[in-house]
Amino acid sequence: MKILIIRWSSLGDIILTQPVVAILREKYPQAEIHYCCKPSMAPLVECFGGVDEIIPAHRIDPNVEYDIAIDLQAKPGSLYNLLRLNAKKKVYYNKQKLTRWLIVKHLTGKCIDTTLELYYSAIAKLGIAEPLRNPVIKPQPEHERFIDELFIEHSVTPSKTLVGIAPGAMHFTKQYPVDYWIRFIESIPDSWNCQFILTGAVSDREVCAEIHRQCPRTTFDLCARTQTGQLVNLMNRFGCLLSGDSGPMHIAAALQKPQIAIFGATHTRLGFRPLNPDAVVLQKDLNCRPCSLHGSKQCPKLHFQCMKSITPSVLHTTFKELLEERVWKL
């Protein structure tokens, strides 16, 4: 038996497909499971286990016979690929686009608990009914030496409490203000023995560089210094992660790391909350939230209170509680 899963991107969405892979592996232990994604996402899929072959996006051979093909991207391009596949069963997931649109427009009180439920809608079409399970990923041993060398290069002290900060996001309204990050870091006493590791994508370099420039003594700028697979190993060294609604948030959740996730323009009602019992979500229930599904370039109301009302002192208090209740007890 051959099974194909299609999910091209992005980082967080791919992580949320891991339980689907795990369930298929359990249901069909002898099956050959292929996963189609963007090449940059392949190292992340390798952290799942249970996948026999990773196929680059848009390079699916229509002549290969599959018993089951599952589209977890559900966009015109992926659906086109699904239709032209030589597969006995073809299914795709229900994106709940209308419900999400109604939530953003404040026309319904409904909520989507998690996108994972929507992915399960695809395997339900195969007659598979399983309880929800949180995504779990494992760092790959081949990247450990790279992280060791990275820490030596930057004089990171692994014996201290390593706190990851992922300040960036694809859109501005999902980013906690830079000056708030700086004020928060400056508020942490030396006695807490914390070192803050700044991480993110190439697009986050400017934000991370500014935070490090203002807080050089306790921060280490490792932004864009790791590829996808290496990032998983790096984050596995953290005692906890602080972030916005972003890909690293989902990595931390799948690594089961204590974390604080700060939501601004988006909302957990849209299905993107971190699936992690050790996650704390900070968000303000303003009547203008959510204002978009994935964030935007600027606050439509121009006040940005969704983020600004979560002050550095609020983050400080929450962080202290996280350390005491979840990190220092590990």
Side-chain angles (χ1 to χ4, degrees):
M1 170 179 274
K2 279 188 178 182
I3 301 173
L4 175 67
I5 299 169
I6 303 171
R7 179 73 217 193
W8 297 333
S9 64
S10 55
L11 196 152
D13 294 290
I14 285 182
I15 287 173
L16 291 175
T17 68
Q18 186 276 333
V20 173
V21 174
I23 289 169
L24 291 171
R25 176 50 69 203
E26 292 168 7
K27 294 292 183 182
Y28 308 105
Q30 304 303 317
E32 187 176 327
I33 299 178
H34 296 182
Y35 196 111
C36 179
C37 63
K38 290 184 177 180
S40 61
M41 296 292 108
L44 188 61
V45 176
E46 290 172 358
C47 296
F48 289 4
V51 175
D52 298 293
E53 184 177 343
I54 300 174
I55 300 171
H58 308 294
R59 294 187 184 179
I60 301 172
D61 186 347
N63 297 314
V64 174
E65 294 185 9
Y66 287 100
D67 294 279
I68 299 172
I70 305 171
D71 181 7
L72 298 181
Q73 187 76 36
K75 287 188 175 181
S78 62
L79 289 170
Y80 170 74
N81 277 328
L82 185 70
L83 288 172
R84 62 196 289 263
L85 277 174
N86 184 6
K88 296 175 183 176
K89 292 183 179 179
K90 304 176 184 181
V91 297
Y92 59 92
Y93 88 106
N94 182 356
K95 299 183 76 166
Q96 294 277 349
K97 290 181 70 174
L98 176 59
T99 298
R100 282 177 163 158
W101 182 83
L102 291 171
I103 291 171
V104 169
K105 297 298 181 181
H106 304 270
L107 297 175
T108 181
K110 292 182 179 179
C111 71
I112 296 170
D113 183 53
T114 170
T115 300
L116 182 57
E117 286 183 335
L118 308 187
Y119 290 154
Y120 270 42
S121 70
I123 59 175
K125 296 174 183 177
L126 302 173
I128 298 174
E130 288 285 324
L132 289 180
R133 60 178 79 174
N134 292 346
V136 177
I137 59 174
K138 296 181 179 180
Q140 300 300 291
E142 63 266 25
H143 300 311
E144 285 299 296
R145 183 176 178 180
F146 175 85
I147 303 303
D148 288 337
E149 292 173 350
L150 194 63
F151 279 7
I152 292 171
E153 178 187 348
H154 290 268
S155 301
V156 176
T157 308
S159 60
K160 293 194 173 186
T161 300
L162 301 185
V163 180
I165 293 181
M170 188 173 294
H171 301 289
F172 171 78
T173 54
K174 291 171 70 172
Q175 296 181 24
Y176 194 57
V178 174
D179 59 320
Y180 277 28
W181 282 121
I182 294 167
R183 286 164 54 190
F184 160 73
I185 293 169
E186 290 176 339
S187 74
I188 304 304
D190 292 342
S191 60
W192 291 11
N193 206 31
C194 293
Q195 290 186 335
F196 296 95
I197 311 297
L198 303 169
T199 188
V202 173
S203 58
D204 305 322
R205 278 178 171 168
E206 185 176 340
V207 171
C208 289
E210 179 60 18
I211 295 172
H212 179 60
R213 189 181 71 82
Q214 296 286 346
C215 308
R217 189 173 58 84
T218 54
T219 64
F220 299 86
D221 187 0
L222 302 187
C223 183
R225 292 298 306 272
T226 55
Q227 297 176 353
T228 307
Q230 297 164 344
L231 177 61
V232 172
N233 286 61
L234 171 63
M235 292 181 61
N236 194 52
R237 304 283 186 99
F238 297 164
C240 60
L241 178 80
L242 315 182
S243 73
D245 173 15
S246 63
M249 176 190 77
H250 291 289
I251 292 180
L255 288 170
Q256 299 169 304
K257 292 289 178 180
Q259 64 184 133
I260 298 173
I262 306 170
F263 278 67
T266 56
H267 199 288
T268 52
R269 289 177 60 208
L270 292 166
F272 300 116
R273 65 181 175 88
L275 299 178
N276 179 8
D278 286 324
V280 178
V281 174
L282 287 179
Q283 60 181 343
K284 293 292 183 178
D285 287 326
L286 306 177
N287 58 17
C288 55
R289 291 187 62 239
C291 61
S292 64
L293 179 59
H294 298 298
S296 53
K297 292 182 179 179
Q298 67 176 12
C299 169
K301 302 289 186 180
L302 302 180
H303 55 59
F304 203 31
Q305 285 302 304
C306 59
M307 282 298 191
K308 288 184 176 180
S309 59
I310 303 172
T311 63
S313 63
V314 170
L315 181 56
H316 177 106
T317 301
T318 307
F319 178 61
K320 184 175 185 292
E321 293 172 354
L322 187 80
L323 290 178
E324 292 174 342
E325 298 173 8
R326 293 177 169 88
V327 179
W328 288 336
K329 289 185 178 182
L330 294 179

